[in-house]
Amino acid sequence: MWVPHISLPQTHIGLIFYVKDDANPFGTGKTTLSTDHNRYLIGDDEHCWSDKGVSNIEGGCYAKCIDLSREKEPDIWNAIKFGTVLENVVFDEHTREVDYLDKSVTENTRAAYPIEYIPNAKIPCVGPHPKNVILLACDAFGVLPPVSKLSLAQTMYHFISGYTALVAGTEEGVKEPRATFSACFGAAFIMLHPTRYAAMLATKMEKHGATGWLVNTGWSGGSYGSGSRMKLAYTRKIIDAIHSGDLLSANYKKTEVFGLEIPTEVEGVPSEILDPVNTWSDKKAYKDTLLKLGGLFKNNFEVFVNHKIGKDDKLTEEILAAGPNF
């Protein structure tokens, strides 16, 4: 089974699925979030989840470096040294100093480096079974919550959907946020039907007691162009609360349309941003945008509705019921 980014805390191992970055020029934050002093690093991309646990199959990281700074991402900054390969960056030919703010070539500037360049990398890159499976989405529509606790059926639904969004200015012809779906967060690489992988994931999660989460690293307070990108510091606090187990005991309420369970409090995160509707000044625009995104999810999932999973098609019905309802 193909499994992306894994981070390993002292007491919990977490698994994060993400849409491949060629589908989202802004990225969802997998490399940034996995590079954290609170967790050992196994890797930021392809992994295997076997009967013995998880293992990395790359031995390095492939970080976006647009707008990179020492203050925000010190470990990635320090990993860019002799032996690191930089792609698409602009630099001074005389001083060889890189301008990480320059996006004249492309937004998709990169740094590829060996995993041992990160101080808290776990060598060899193996770990136990995950206790948390986190699906990352960069929602440029600004209507998905910063974090949601998912049921098993919801985890399968969002895993099969593999949602993120393109934004204006990143591709020719894109004038407003555009939903992008990549089945199993890696449609170009899978060999079997997406529902087969979702069933495999569900089996692993049930067997090892893993909880599913949806984390939105995209926009808040409005869509791209009117709202603002979720603060990295808040997302890090959310990831910490997932790994520590604090969010398992939090109080939850359910959102409209997507029916997502969202916590009412996360330590270090303003409570008002946990429910996206609170951050929009125009409530009608929020509802219209929410319904629009829900419709896009439904349209995308049409190709999967006739594929049976489980005995008597029961699991298929549960997965469909876990999607948007309006």
Side-chain angles (χ1 to χ4, degrees):
M1 181 180 178
W2 179 78
V3 179
H5 157 127
I6 299 173
S7 55
L8 179 64
Q10 300 284 347
T11 55
H12 293 73
I13 181 168
L15 181 63
I16 296 183
F17 291 93
Y18 68 98
V19 171
K20 291 297 287 183
D21 283 348
D22 52 6
N24 179 21
F26 275 94
T28 52
K30 69 185 191 316
T31 304
T32 295
L33 293 173
S34 65
T35 308
D36 192 300
H37 289 294
N38 294 321
R39 289 176 286 279
Y40 296 123
L41 179 66
I42 292 179
D44 75 331
D45 206 335
E46 282 98 357
H47 293 74
C48 295
W49 187 354
S50 71
D51 292 337
K52 295 182 178 180
V54 293
S55 58
N56 174 258
I57 58 176
E58 289 186 308
C61 299
Y62 192 51
K64 281 185 177 292
C65 49
I66 193 71
D67 296 332
L68 181 68
S69 69
R70 188 192 300 272
E71 293 72 25
K72 290 182 179 179
E73 300 174 79
D75 286 339
I76 294 177
W77 178 277
N78 292 328
I80 299 177
K81 55 187 178 183
F82 184 81
T84 297
V85 177
L86 292 176
E87 298 178 2
N88 300 326
V89 298
V90 176
F91 66 97
D92 187 294
E93 294 184 4
H94 299 289
T95 65
R96 300 173 65 84
E97 184 176 349
V98 178
D99 183 357
Y100 293 109
L101 300 177
D102 194 320
K103 57 187 76 173
S104 59
V105 177
T106 176
E107 289 266 359
N108 196 22
T109 58
R110 294 284 188 163
Y113 47 85
I115 196 164
E116 57 266 26
Y117 280 17
I118 298 298
N120 57 327
K122 186 177 184 297
I123 309 294
C125 301
V126 296
H129 296 288
K131 293 302 180 185
N132 297 287
V133 173
I134 305 169
L135 312 182
L136 291 182
C138 178
D139 176 31
F141 291 88
V143 294
L144 288 184
V147 59
S148 312
K149 184 172 68 173
L150 304 176
S151 66
L152 191 62
Q154 285 177 318
T155 303
M156 296 176 74
Y157 180 89
H158 286 279
F159 179 60
I160 293 171
S161 297
Y163 164 71
T164 193
L166 294 171
V167 296
T170 57
E171 280 191 8
E172 186 176 358
V174 178
K175 303 298 183 184
E176 59 182 21
R178 180 196 296 169
T180 303
F181 298 92
S182 180
C184 302
F185 296 92
F189 307 98
I190 59 177
M191 301 296 291
L192 305 176
H193 194 279
T195 54
R196 291 281 299 277
Y197 293 100
M200 292 166 66
L201 176 63
T203 299
K204 291 280 191 186
M205 291 179 65
E206 281 191 306
K207 181 178 180 179
H208 301 290
T211 304
W213 306 87
L214 179 65
V215 171
N216 172 27
T217 62
W219 269 254
S220 178
S223 299
Y224 174 81
S226 58
S228 57
R229 188 81 189 261
M230 201 75 64
K231 289 185 177 180
L232 175 59
Y234 296 158
T235 305
R236 285 197 187 280
K237 290 290 185 182
I238 287 168
I239 299 296
D240 288 344
I242 290 173
H243 284 310
S244 70
D246 288 348
L247 281 193
L248 285 177
S249 57
N251 294 319
Y252 285 84
K253 65 178 183 179
K254 185 171 289 189
T255 66
E256 291 184 287
V257 180
F258 281 88
L260 297 170
E261 296 284 340
I262 58 174
T264 56
E265 290 185 357
V266 177
E267 185 178 353
V269 180
S271 296
E272 60 270 17
I273 75 168
L274 296 174
D275 189 343
V277 68
N278 296 333
T279 66
W280 284 61
S281 57
D282 188 336
K283 306 304 182 187
K284 182 180 183 303
Y286 165 80
K287 186 63 177 289
D288 291 344
T289 306
L290 179 63
L291 291 172
K292 178 180 179 179
L293 183 60
L296 293 173
F297 265 83
K298 281 194 168 187
N299 291 340
N300 172 72
F301 217 83
E302 284 296 318
V303 298
F304 305 114
V305 295
N306 295 323
H307 197 90
K308 295 183 178 181
I309 309 176
K311 295 179 180 179
D312 303 322
D313 206 21
K314 185 173 182 292
L315 191 53
T316 305
E317 294 175 2
E318 290 181 9
I319 295 173
L320 288 174
N325 183 18
F326 57 95

